Amino acid sequence: MNIDSLKYFFLIAKEGNISGVAKEVHLSQSALSQQIQKLENDLDKKLLIRSNRGVALTTTGKIVYKFAENILRTYDKMMQEIEEAEKTATVIKIVACQSIADYALPCSLIKANGSFPNHKYELTSNSTIQIVSDVTNNICDVGFSCDVDVHIDDPGVVSIKVGENAIVLIAKNDDDIPDVITVEELIERCLITFTGKSNITNALMKNLSRLGYSQSSLSCSLSVESIESAKKLINRKFGIAFLPYISVKEELYKKQWKTVKVPDFNMNLDVTMLYKRKCPDYVSDFVAWFKSNGPESFC
């Protein structure tokens, strides 16, 4: 049974004539009659009796009219709920390395929401290995890793470099540490590192290994779980730490902290965006937006 045919029948039965309804719905009388004929054919019953005075309902027509309004209202409610469900389905789950998740992406997502008001975002942080796994296994829609190398085995996952996460050595501004130190001086200092599979700590160890040192070479090492914990220790002059520049911009601007250079030390990490080659349109829209706006949208 065609829902439009039922709607036209209901209007005609309610008004009592075809010509008035034809004008209301912007159809010709013949087109409207064809819709009624289609409904009668579907039900295999005569519904209307036409006369010079208008139309009258047959016995079957009266039954159909009695149920038609509820059917139409139920149909409208169904379509409304389908539309609402489609809106709420546009939740984009994003996982990123901690520094990007905490200090860069929040501004990007607010700006993206200006272009896509119906999008909602869920942002979490994790290690590069877990980010790759989450995107590969459809747990998250988009990932942002921060690492020197990102290994992806699934050909269905796309990875593109979208920026660079600058890592700088930070000390309290009134600390006695010089603006430039050697690697030997670095390992003599109390160096704050990160627990777990930290991209920053991995980059630090790769640099030390390249120069002939190991983690055991560090005279003093404090391992913490978060960037904020490291910042608190620096503030109390309990050590120095390699931190993402985006996480310390404010302190550097206010001259509370300073950067310390270590020659032949490259700590910068690539920011790589990961997403499935075959993904929903709303995810593709976000990916295309980020490719155009990229790190310029970062906080």
Side-chain angles (χ1 to χ4, degrees), residues 93-96 124 126-145 150-154 156-159 197 274-276:
K93 294 184 177 181
I94 300 171
V95 59
T124 57
N126 220 316
S127 66
T128 292
I129 292 174
Q130 196 59 53
I131 290 169
V132 173
S133 175
D134 284 354
V135 174
T136 301
N137 294 307
N138 297 311
I139 295 172
C140 289
D141 300 299
V142 182
F144 291 89
S145 71
V150 180
H151 299 289
I152 301 171
D153 297 323
D154 189 343
V157 175
V158 179
S159 66
K197 298 174 181 178
L274 312 174
Y275 58 94
K276 277 295 188 69

Side-chain angles (χ1 to χ4, degrees), residues 9 40 43 45-49 56-67:
F9 164 77
E40 291 178 330
L43 297 173
K45 298 290 182 181
K46 191 76 173 173
L47 300 178
L48 296 176
I49 301 171
L57 295 174
T58 65
T59 301
T60 302
K62 290 176 181 178
I63 295 172
V64 174
Y65 178 70
K66 181 174 70 172
F67 287 97

Side-chain angles (χ1 to χ4, degrees), residues 12 33 37 40 54 57 85 101 109 133 160 169 171 175 178 234 248:
I12 292 169
S33 295
Q37 184 65 53
E40 291 178 330
L57 295 174
L109 300 184
S133 175
I160 58 170
L169 182 58
D175 202 330
I234 293 171
V248 296

Side-chain angles (χ1 to χ4, degrees), residues 71-83:
I71 293 172
L72 292 169
R73 289 178 64 185
T74 301
Y75 175 81
D76 289 342
K77 179 64 176 175
M78 179 187 72
M79 295 306 295
Q80 181 183 350
E81 289 194 14
I82 289 174
E83 186 177 348

Side-chain angles (χ1 to χ4, degrees), residues 3-4 18-19 87 136 157-158 166 208 210-211 255 291:
I3 198 70
D4 287 332
I18 293 178
S19 60
K87 286 181 181 179
T136 301
V157 175
V158 179
L208 289 175
R210 178 174 54 83
L211 297 171
K255 300 189 183 302
K291 285 179 181 179

Side-chain angles (χ1 to χ4, degrees), residues 38 41 52 56 96 104 112 181 194 263:
K38 185 186 298 183
N41 291 341
N52 293 333
I181 62 173
F194 297 97

